[in-house]
Amino acid sequence: MDGTEWDSVLQYISDPADFPSPQSERPVSEMAGIPVHPQQFVPQMLTPPGSEKSATCEPREQTLEDYAQENTIVSVSTTFHPGANLLPIPPDLILLSSDGVFFYVHTTQVLSMSTNRFNDLVPPKLIRSKACDDLGPIVALPEIATVLNIVLHAVYEMSCAHYRPNLDTLIAAVDAMAMYGLPPKRHIAPSTPLYLLILSQAPMQPIVVYALAAAHDLYDLAVPVSSHLLSFPLHSLTDDLAVRIGPVYMKRLFFLHLGRLDALKRLLLPPPHPHPPTEDCDFTEQKKLTRAWALASAYLAWDARPDLSTSAMESALLPLADHLSCRVCKRSLAERVKQLIVQWSVVKRSI
């Protein structure tokens, strides 16, 4: 077969117009209802990354542009944003919370407040590279935005009270501060806003706040919080709370309860002072008041609690006067009850 005949055969095979197609002329994507973009192309062969990304083995830092390509919405802190002007110099470090909120901070401020270079996440001198954002590298942190926000407010020594964080968020922030080298003793002193914020929420969960103070040795916080624990049943302490409180502050809490109970028993022991015998009331009659006082005080001591109220004392002791006919004995009983209430009110109520 010569060359002219071969050309006619090849032309016949390569021309599809001469053979009707058994399939529909519409593409499969159009029949399935999937929109087709003319510029979209899906290669059928797996290819390695481009030469620009694979030229070096060093890991590349994530930039803000990279995050924006992966996430449609980029959230930025309302306090720590690029235009916040917290310091005269612009921010040079970006902290990213676990829920995707960016915090623009200053390396000098973070390092000056942290004792461990923010858990060794911030080097003493940032290395600028093309992979960094214009306002610094991005450091991803495991804390959520509400917790990280409180931590950074402590770094810049600002109050976060206007955010009204709940108690769980405050506790998580204090624990994170210790991890990032921000001593809680320094940032939760009686004169600091964070101290007042935590103390204002202590009555809701006093044992939790006391455990927080004990874990970080915040004695100035533990003292006022312990006054809210007078009614707390110590037998209900969980193992986790006991471990977090530790032996020192646990002993102080137990001694507070035991000390008040012992003081109450000692205060209840003396009966009303007797008066000189009269025609209507001799020593025999006065012994009735002494026995009645002993019974009433024993009832209070048996069911005593560290938070026993003065009204409970009055309701148990003052009715004894109804069984007395001597006006001097009644006056002596009233004076003794008054003295008891004053003495009980000055008994130590905190560790």
Side-chain angles (χ1 to χ4, degrees):
M1 186 179 295
D2 55 10
T4 303
E5 295 176 349
W6 277 111
D7 291 340
S8 62
V9 172
L10 292 175
Q11 181 180 2
Y12 173 77
I13 295 176
S14 62
D15 189 2
D18 298 337
F19 294 91
S21 175
Q23 301 178 351
S24 173
E25 295 181 358
R26 294 185 300 165
V28 175
S29 60
E30 182 178 346
M31 290 187 293
I34 303 175
V36 178
H37 301 284
Q39 299 178 354
Q40 207 172 18
F41 174 73
V42 181
Q44 299 299 322
M45 181 180 297
L46 297 176
T47 57
S51 59
E52 294 181 359
K53 295 183 179 180
S54 60
T56 177
C57 294
E58 297 181 359
R60 188 173 70 88
E61 296 179 352
Q62 187 182 26
T63 64
L64 187 57
E65 288 78 5
D66 295 338
Y67 188 88
Q69 293 177 1
E70 300 173 0
N71 300 270
T72 306
I73 300 177
V74 176
S75 301
V76 180
S77 170
T78 57
T79 301
F80 303 95
H81 55 86
N85 294 326
L86 299 176
L87 294 180
I89 58 176
D92 57 354
L93 177 65
I94 304 174
L95 302 179
L96 177 61
S97 64
S98 60
D99 50 355
V101 179
F102 289 89
F103 294 81
Y104 292 78
V105 296
H106 303 81
T107 304
T108 55
Q109 183 69 19
V110 173
L111 294 179
S112 64
M113 302 297 288
S114 176
T115 59
N116 62 358
R117 297 194 304 274
F118 217 68
N119 200 21
D120 293 326
L121 295 175
V122 180
K125 184 177 180 181
L126 293 178
I127 302 175
R128 306 292 297 182
S129 63
K130 295 181 179 180
C132 296
D133 188 75
D134 292 339
L135 296 176
I138 299 176
V139 178
L141 301 177
E143 286 75 25
I144 60 177
T146 53
V147 173
L148 185 57
N149 182 55
I150 298 174
V151 174
L152 294 180
H153 272 77
V155 170
Y156 285 83
E157 297 181 326
M158 300 186 303
S159 174
C160 61
H162 57 283
Y163 286 98
R164 297 181 180 178
N166 57 40
L167 185 57
D168 293 336
T169 303
L170 290 170
I171 293 175
V174 175
D175 293 337
M177 287 168 55
M179 182 180 65
Y180 290 124
L182 305 171
K185 273 190 175 182
R186 174 181 176 182
H187 298 279
I188 312 179
S191 59
T192 59
L194 190 55
Y195 171 90
L196 299 176
L197 187 59
I198 297 176
L199 187 60
S200 65
Q201 301 192 34
M204 296 184 294
Q205 300 184 61
I207 189 61
V208 177
V209 179
Y210 184 82
L212 173 70
H216 301 286
D217 194 19
L218 303 175
Y219 181 76
D220 292 332
L221 179 62
V223 170
V225 172
S226 63
S227 62
H228 299 288
L229 294 173
L230 296 179
S231 60
F232 180 80
L234 296 179
H235 64 271
S236 65
L237 271 175
T238 63
D239 293 342
D240 294 338
L241 278 176
V243 172
R244 185 168 172 82
I245 292 174
V248 175
Y249 283 84
M250 183 68 73
K251 182 191 72 173
R252 291 172 177 172
L253 182 59
F254 269 81
F255 278 17
L256 171 63
H257 281 228
L258 297 177
R260 284 183 62 84
L261 292 177
D262 183 66
L264 178 61
K265 294 175 182 179
R266 287 187 285 103
L267 294 176
L268 287 171
L269 187 60
H273 292 291
H275 62 83
T278 62
E279 295 181 358
D280 299 330
C281 184
D282 55 10
F283 287 115
T284 304
E285 290 294 327
Q286 294 182 41
K287 288 182 180 179
K288 295 180 180 178
L289 174 59
T290 303
R291 289 194 295 268
W293 178 272
L295 291 174
S297 60
Y299 167 76
L300 286 176
W302 178 263
D303 196 29
R305 300 189 312 272
D307 63 332
L308 182 65
S309 63
T310 56
S311 60
M313 291 182 176
E314 292 178 340
S315 62
L317 298 175
L318 289 180
L320 299 178
D322 298 339
H323 305 280
L324 300 176
S325 59
C326 178
R327 289 181 298 177
V328 180
C329 289
K330 290 183 178 181
R331 185 170 61 250
S332 177
L333 174 63
E335 292 176 355
R336 179 67 184 94
V337 173
K338 183 179 179 180
Q339 180 189 30
L340 175 63
I341 292 175
V342 172
Q343 291 175 335
W344 178 242
S345 63
V346 298
V347 176
K348 190 177 181 182
R349 297 180 56 87
S350 60
I351 61 173

